Amino acid sequence: MLVIISPVHASGNIPSNIYVVKSGDTLPDIAHIYDTSIEDLQAMNGLQSDELSVGQKLRVPIMYEVSPGDTLQDIAAIYHSSLETIKTINAFSSDQLFPGQILQIIPPKINMQGQDILMTKEEFRDWLFHQKFSRKISLIQQHHTWLPSYKHFKGSNHFQMIEGMRNHHIKQMGWKNIAQNITTFPDGKVAVSRPFNIAPEGSIGPEANTIGLAIEHVGNFDIGNDVMTEKHKETIIYITALLCIKFGLTPSIDSITYHHWWHYKTKERVLDDAASYEVKSCPGTAFFGGNSTKSAKNNFYPLVERKMEEIIASMDENQSEQSNTSK
């Protein structure tokens, strides 16, 4: 079925290539409406299964009718594409448009292998805010992998490292899947593997896992080992801020937790009141200045709070710009 969207400068709501899932919708039905495949819809939206939730937002391919005054730059901005992508899809040799011209606009595909989704931090932001989750999430866990560490990262082996961790967790630890929901890498990339609707597994225990979301940061961040890259630091702060915004959390010891604060055997939260042999050093004795609650309060939480403010301000500014563009 051909779906043609009204011009950017039409009055009313901002035109969009975002489809909001309604009750009774199925992925095959949506694929049919927008003349695409289930596989392409999954790749465009980073979907780990065919299951949909009411209110979930999906990027879909559209046919767009050019209106007087439209530019490729405006259209690319509105539809979260790029000038080069639109020109390539439509075999354009120039930026010139004509009223009444029909453009094909196809969302870019996200880098996926199986259930693993690899994204930039900006792609993760868009992915996160388009999702609807059925599980209550109110605790963000910070971990470091310890092993593998920075020396195992070769710049392009993200999926191989994830698969290695998954194999270890399943075969050696006896867990059902890779333990963590999110993995971050030295180059600033972010991977989502374990679906957010499934609680993490691991030694931090059921109290933290039931309402938790586990993030594993590739590296050994104990003092004297890996020195975190600036890109990695930025991504860790950025995605933690995004998760706080998404789930309505204020950074504190009750919303952002370190593995170090949980007893290795009892699985209870002990914060700083434990002997070194009773807890792991994770996420590292050098993780943003240390792994104590004092360090988190003085160093990590303020960075997350400032980033939250920046992101919210940016989102408000973008919405204002899009509203002005549509007038």
Side-chain angles (χ1 to χ4, degrees):
M1 182 184 296
L2 182 64
V3 178
I4 300 180
I5 301 298
S6 56
V8 166
H9 296 285
S11 61
N13 293 331
I14 300 172
S16 176
N17 59 344
I18 302 296
Y19 180 84
V20 181
V21 175
K22 303 185 298 296
S23 178
D25 280 343
T26 68
L27 210 56
D29 288 343
I30 297 171
H32 177 71
I33 291 172
Y34 290 95
D35 194 25
T36 188
S37 68
I38 295 171
E39 293 74 21
D40 281 351
L41 270 183
Q42 289 175 320
M44 292 170 188
N45 294 281
L47 302 180
Q48 295 172 300
S49 72
D50 293 351
E51 295 182 7
L52 298 175
S53 300
V54 174
Q56 184 176 357
K57 297 177 182 178
L58 302 178
R59 295 197 189 283
V60 293
I62 59 168
M63 305 300 289
Y64 175 80
E65 181 180 357
V66 175
S67 178
D70 278 348
T71 68
L72 280 179
Q73 290 87 347
D74 286 343
I75 296 169
I78 289 291
Y79 294 108
H80 305 281
S81 185
S82 69
L83 186 148
E84 293 75 16
T85 300
I86 295 175
K87 288 176 66 174
T88 299
I89 291 171
N90 293 279
F92 286 175
S93 57
S94 73
D95 296 356
Q96 190 172 7
L97 297 176
F98 305 96
Q101 191 174 12
I102 302 298
L103 306 182
Q104 186 178 23
I105 301 177
I106 300 177
K109 294 181 180 178
I110 296 176
N111 192 5
M112 294 184 69
Q113 286 190 19
Q115 72 170 6
D116 302 322
I117 314 168
L118 184 64
M119 298 170 274
T120 64
K121 66 182 190 297
E122 292 82 11
E123 289 173 332
F124 175 78
R125 174 198 61 208
D126 294 341
W127 176 88
L128 178 67
F129 288 129
H130 284 170
Q131 305 303 309
K132 296 283 286 186
F133 304 112
S134 59
R135 183 171 69 92
K136 179 184 178 182
I137 296 172
S138 56
L139 187 65
I140 304 169
Q141 303 175 15
Q142 304 287 343
H143 302 260
H144 70 167
T145 56
W146 189 76
L147 187 69
S149 63
Y150 268 28
K151 69 180 180 181
H152 299 100
F153 180 64
K154 307 303 180 185
S156 60
N157 62 331
H158 309 79
F159 288 117
Q160 292 90 332
M161 293 185 78
I162 293 169
E163 191 60 25
M165 286 184 269
R166 176 181 286 109
N167 288 336
H168 175 74
H169 291 170
I170 294 174
K171 295 177 181 179
Q172 303 300 320
M173 306 304 295
W175 299 330
K176 295 179 181 178
N177 199 340
I178 192 169
Q180 71 267 23
N181 305 97
I182 300 173
T183 308
T184 70
F185 295 88
D187 63 352
K189 291 287 182 66
V190 184
V192 173
S193 296
R194 191 180 182 95
F196 280 27
N197 281 333
I198 302 176
E201 292 181 90
S203 58
I204 199 168
E207 181 183 345
N209 287 338
T210 302
I211 57 171
L213 198 68
I215 311 175
E216 284 279 2
H217 307 298
V218 168
N220 179 354
F221 301 120
D222 284 335
I223 293 172
N225 292 280
D226 294 330
V227 177
M228 194 181 291
T229 67
E230 290 303 315
K231 287 184 176 179
H232 206 173
K233 286 180 184 177
E234 174 62 19
T235 286
I236 292 170
I237 296 167
Y238 189 83
I239 69 166
T240 303
L242 289 173
L243 292 168
C244 285
I245 295 170
K246 174 68 175 180
F247 299 111
L249 307 177
T250 300
S252 73
I253 60 171
D254 295 320
S255 61
I256 302 173
T257 194
Y258 291 1
H259 191 171
H260 180 63
W261 304 344
W262 298 79
H263 196 285
Y264 185 72
K265 291 185 178 180
T266 67
K267 316 299 183 187
E268 294 179 354
R269 191 176 77 159
V270 292
L271 298 177
D272 301 316
D273 300 322
S276 59
Y277 61 84
E278 294 176 319
V279 292
K280 289 190 174 183
S281 64
C282 179
T285 52
F287 183 81
F288 290 90
N291 59 5
S292 67
T293 57
K294 180 180 179 180
S295 179
K297 292 175 183 177
N298 291 342
N299 302 320
F300 191 54
Y301 297 164
L303 293 173
V304 174
E305 288 169 350
R306 284 198 292 272
K307 187 59 64 177
M308 290 173 67
E309 293 172 359
E310 290 176 16
I311 293 170
I312 292 170
S314 176
M315 292 168 64
D316 291 342
E317 182 179 344
N318 288 339
Q319 288 178 353
S320 177
E321 288 178 355
Q322 287 189 348
S323 178
N324 291 333
T325 301
S326 69
K327 294 177 180 178

